[in-house]
Amino acid sequence: MARKKIVIANWKSYPATKRDALKLFTAAKKSAARARNVTTVVCPPVIFLPLFTARRKLFLGSQNVSGEGGVAHTGEVSASMLVPFQVAYVIVGHSERRALGEDEAMVAKKIRSALAEGLQPILCIGEAERDTEGAYHEILRQEIRSALVGLSSAEIRRVLIAYEPIWAIGKSAADAMKPEEVHEAVIFIRKTLTEIIDRSIAERVPILYGGSVESDNVASLYTYGDVDGFLVGHASTDAKSFNEILESVSNA
Ligand code: 13P
């Protein structure tokens, strides 16, 4: 079944200035408009969100959301605050946030907060290292189950999964996962989803790959990795690289 292609830019804590953020967004907008059959999502630092306007094929996402109700949570931004700023997606459980102490219970709460406000959560999962016995499978299964068990089918249909092995993040294309390794992980993730929901729904949950996606490896990862798209870190903060990535996915 042909699925919709999606490319998500995670700018992380970049750029340093409003001026550079506007420049980068303007470039992403042009690239997104040119890419055929690709949905593009830009997730800037939350402070820049009010500067940007979503377009057809170009959506805005937040890199985080509060999982707590109520107002006594210093420094947190709730899902309902994001909605008026045209935010449609939210990254949840990124490994860089899990490293700061975000645990599975918090991730599950964030997913629910996002869904309750009509945002689409991008659930990040991924093992810290690869072992030869395949123990990383259990880590992936646990991260999926702890976040999604208990949600309705209608809710799970609105979730995207980003497989981001921690060991492959922040390197170069040469150190990223090989397409066949990504393919194997995608099969495992879909199988795990069928333990929670009907196969017909599990098959429709978009599965993205993230971890040193660059213009050099994106085409083969798309073609042989069986992914629906990508969550791109450092290469999304370079206008030329991001344009090349969108072009490759568009042509793949
Ligand atoms: P890099 O593309 O810089 O490896 O980052 C991946 C990532 O963490 C995206 O969320």
Side-chain angles (χ1 to χ4, degrees), residues 81-97:
M81 291 171 186
L82 294 169
V83 172
F85 292 95
Q86 300 187 304
V87 173
Y89 293 84
V90 59
I91 298 173
V92 177
H94 192 283
S95 58
E96 288 155 12
R97 297 210 55 83

Side-chain angles (χ1 to χ4, degrees), residues 14 24 233-243:
Y14 184 91
L24 194 55
H234 64 269
S236 73
T237 61
D238 178 84
K240 182 169 171 284
S241 301
F242 193 56
N243 182 57

